[in-house]
Amino acid sequence: MNQDQYFENIVTINGGSGVIVNSLTSDYSYIYTAKHVICIDNEDIHSDLLPIRDLIVRDYNNEPIEILEILVNSSNSLDIAILRTSKQINSDVVISRKIISSSEKVRFCGYPGRSRDAPVILNRYRNHSYEFDVKYTEHIKLKTSMNIEFSWIVGMSGGGVFTDGDGVVLRAIETKYSGSKNEYDGCVVAVNINKFDDIIHHINESRSEKLSIVLPVELQSFQTLENLAFKFSDGWDQPALLNSIRKLLICIGQTKVTAIGITPITVKEELEHILECEFYENFEVNEPKYWAAFFELIVISVMVDEPETFDKTYLSNILNKRRIIYINSNKTWQKHLLSILDNEYINHDENGFFIVKTNSPSQRVKYNSGAISHMYINQVTNSGDDYNIDNVQNNKNLKKTLIDLDALNNKCIYDQQEELESFNIVTGSEHIKDKIKSNYSKYLII
């Protein structure tokens, strides 16, 4: 492990440390840290914050970093805070909101207090190997993989907890050592990185000019999302064939998005005016599951449309007629029907489709009609653990078509298993693709 891998992304903040994180703006960076580091009384996170003029923030070259704003969630008692810088600072850090789990190895990095005034050399910076110990309601405890002196921990509050491997993948921020100075057990307490999202979301609720969000590492590439795409339930007589069909679908997407270097981030940056909703702040577009569903939409659309050219113009055209909506909720998307049907989405064809992905695929929609394409929905009832859509009927005058993505995939793949099983995946892959294309075309051609 080369400690330089993390070194240039760690800063000193008064008596503590911090991590430089970049968001979707070139105007500024964020520094994630522990709140007590910037409190007047650093033993009490509820004490007043230091004024910005008293914050001494320095990078790895000991150069000062100007801070414009301190960001904290006043409704949350977690020991975390974000500093917003006056300009963007180079950072290799990417965010992973995957929760640190049992026995997982991580790397804790920061600047210990006793060497803070030493010359700018690598030995004033420390990184130590830790692993998960126990999870509490709002934080986790990490235990050291080797004996670490107490003096090498003091001053590292606000330091980063990274995935112990290739890449600078930030998972948590350390807030304090475990126990007292006299009873130091080598453990530290850390807060998972997703809690920092809450600070930005909380502040954006009261601002007209929103703070930029930080995307997770999973959105650096569609390939990192493939394990979330085309998740079919078990039950096929030939599960190996079902898995081969899933790989076939993913390969179609890989061939297209990789060829022109499209990533979730580039789509979000360049097509955000299409992805936006007029009637609510759509934080769901920052979720990996949203982009996994988006990847599925690319695959399905490419099969159905067979475009001569796959580029960003084609992607824009997809969104104009097939808008993907991800509902990050433990309830099914039917709870959002009125919002979907009563409000207009930006740049959406009047005869276009809403393709909706729920966060609870186990709660399948039960349709009273065999058709899932042109639907008119005027009542949703809760029957046990399932949601039934009553009075579903074909309505050729309906301007918006509403489709559940899981139901669509099951209808076009899972429900067609007997026909698909009649082909050999090796010698009949083209026949299988043609059959799948025909299945999806029934529902997605305007």
Side-chain angles (χ1 to χ4, degrees):
M1 171 63 65
N2 181 0
Q3 64 182 8
D4 287 337
Q5 184 177 12
Y6 309 112
F7 178 57
E8 296 183 0
N9 306 288
I10 310 297
V11 302
T12 62
I13 306 172
N14 290 37
S17 302
V19 182
I20 303 169
V21 176
N22 280 331
S23 60
L24 286 178
T25 179
S26 58
D27 295 334
Y28 51 81
S29 296
Y30 294 130
I31 296 176
Y32 286 8
T33 188
K35 184 180 177 183
H36 75 264
V37 169
I38 59 172
C39 286
I40 292 175
D41 180 359
N42 59 23
E43 296 293 329
D44 180 11
I45 64 169
H46 300 292
S47 69
D48 291 338
L49 300 177
L50 289 165
I52 290 178
R53 65 178 181 274
D54 290 342
L55 294 182
I56 302 173
V57 183
R58 294 186 179 276
D59 67 11
Y60 70 100
N61 281 326
N62 217 25
E63 294 294 327
I65 297 175
E66 184 181 10
I67 303 300
L68 284 187
E69 186 177 14
I70 299 173
L71 309 171
V72 295
N73 188 343
S74 58
S75 65
N76 196 316
S77 60
L78 282 178
D79 186 9
I80 57 176
I82 301 175
L83 306 181
R84 184 166 70 89
T85 65
S86 62
K87 62 182 180 180
Q88 188 181 67
I89 304 168
N90 290 333
S91 174
D92 296 321
V93 172
V94 291
I95 296 295
S96 176
R97 292 169 175 85
K98 181 182 178 183
I99 304 301
I100 297 173
S101 58
S102 179
S103 300
E104 184 176 357
K105 301 284 187 181
V106 291
R107 182 69 53 171
F108 169 36
C109 311
Y111 289 94
R114 83 175 192 182
S115 60
R116 189 166 303 279
D117 297 325
V120 184
I121 54 177
L122 284 177
N123 66 10
R124 76 175 183 137
Y125 158 88
R126 287 288 178 267
N127 72 71
H128 304 293
S129 178
Y130 278 80
E131 64 180 36
F132 175 91
D133 183 52
V134 64
K135 180 182 184 301
Y136 298 94
T137 302
E138 297 286 359
H139 59 271
I140 56 175
K141 189 167 78 167
L142 305 172
K143 60 183 177 182
T144 180
S145 302
M146 57 182 290
N147 292 328
I148 296 175
E149 296 179 36
F150 174 79
S151 58
W152 284 121
I153 297 298
V154 175
M156 293 178 74
S157 292
V161 179
F162 297 88
T163 294
D164 196 358
D166 294 334
V168 189
V169 182
L170 184 63
R171 305 287 295 283
I173 293 292
E174 190 267 353
T175 57
K176 64 179 181 179
Y177 53 84
S178 177
S180 66
K181 180 177 180 179
N182 296 327
E183 299 176 353
Y184 171 61
D185 59 3
C187 296
V188 297
V189 174
V191 176
N192 283 305
I193 213 66
N194 62 304
K195 296 297 181 181
F196 285 80
D197 298 336
D198 296 339
I199 294 177
I200 295 174
H201 291 174
H202 170 76
I203 291 175
N204 278 343
E205 288 177 353
S206 59
R207 285 196 178 186
S208 56
E209 186 174 345
K210 308 297 184 185
L211 292 169
S212 180
I213 53 90
V214 178
L215 291 182
V217 64
E218 292 85 356
L219 301 195
Q220 306 292 324
S221 166
F222 279 107
Q223 288 181 302
T224 62
L225 300 165
E226 289 167 7
N227 65 321
L228 299 176
F230 294 107
K231 303 289 285 186
F232 301 113
S233 55
D234 296 330
W236 266 39
D237 295 335
Q238 298 184 37
L241 177 60
L242 179 62
N243 188 48
S244 295
I245 290 173
R246 179 177 180 270
K247 290 180 179 178
L248 184 67
L249 293 169
I250 288 174
C251 183
I252 293 171
Q254 284 179 336
T255 302
K256 295 301 181 182
V257 300
T258 305
I260 62 172
I262 287 180
T263 67
I265 291 178
T266 57
V267 174
K268 190 176 189 302
E269 288 178 333
E270 297 179 26
L271 300 179
E272 189 166 15
H273 63 287
I274 299 177
L275 299 175
E276 288 179 345
C277 306
E278 288 185 332
F279 53 91
Y280 76 102
E281 188 73 20
N282 189 12
F283 290 120
E284 284 86 354
V285 297
N286 304 322
E287 295 278 351
K289 287 183 179 179
Y290 172 92
W291 292 101
F294 193 98
F295 179 76
E296 290 184 29
L297 179 63
I298 290 175
V299 173
I300 294 167
S301 295
V302 165
M303 284 194 301
V304 170
D305 300 337
E306 294 186 335
E308 292 184 7
T309 304
F310 182 87
D311 54 17
K312 288 163 188 171
T313 300
Y314 172 68
L315 275 181
S316 178
N317 290 334
I318 287 178
L319 292 172
N320 284 337
K321 61 183 179 181
R322 302 181 190 121
R323 184 66 55 86
I324 193 77
I325 303 173
Y326 170 62
I327 305 299
N328 184 10
S329 167
N330 291 328
K331 301 297 182 181
T332 50
W333 55 264
Q334 293 89 325
K335 294 291 184 182
H336 299 260
L337 280 178
L338 291 180
S339 296
I340 294 170
L341 296 178
D342 291 348
N343 295 278
E344 294 183 358
Y345 277 68
I346 300 170
N347 297 322
H348 194 241
D349 292 348
E350 68 174 14
N351 291 313
F353 299 85
F354 286 124
I355 300 176
V356 191
K357 171 71 175 180
T358 175
N359 200 33
S360 298
S362 61
Q363 292 180 317
R364 299 282 186 216
V365 181
K366 290 187 175 181
Y367 296 102
N368 291 348
S369 167
I372 67 170
S373 56
H374 298 87
M375 299 188 303
Y376 175 73
I377 303 169
N378 62 7
Q379 185 177 359
V380 179
T381 58
N382 186 351
S383 175
D385 293 331
D386 295 304
Y387 287 83
N388 294 303
I389 298 181
D390 296 333
N391 301 317
V392 179
Q393 55 188 290
N394 287 331
N395 184 345
K396 294 181 179 179
N397 296 319
L398 180 66
K399 291 186 176 182
K400 299 295 183 186
T401 297
L402 198 58
I403 296 179
D404 179 272
L405 182 58
D406 286 319
L408 177 67
N409 287 338
N410 279 350
K411 192 77 175 176
C412 296
I413 303 293
Y414 200 87
D415 290 356
Q416 304 294 323
Q417 61 174 306
E418 291 186 4
E419 293 186 57
L420 291 172
E421 285 175 352
S422 66
F423 301 105
N424 181 287
I425 189 63
V426 177
T427 60
S429 60
E430 289 303 315
H431 294 293
I432 289 176
K433 283 197 285 189
D434 288 342
K435 178 59 182 173
I436 294 173
K437 172 191 172 182
S438 175
N439 293 340
Y440 279 106
S441 297
K442 293 177 184 176
Y443 307 112
L444 292 176
I445 296 296
I446 296 179

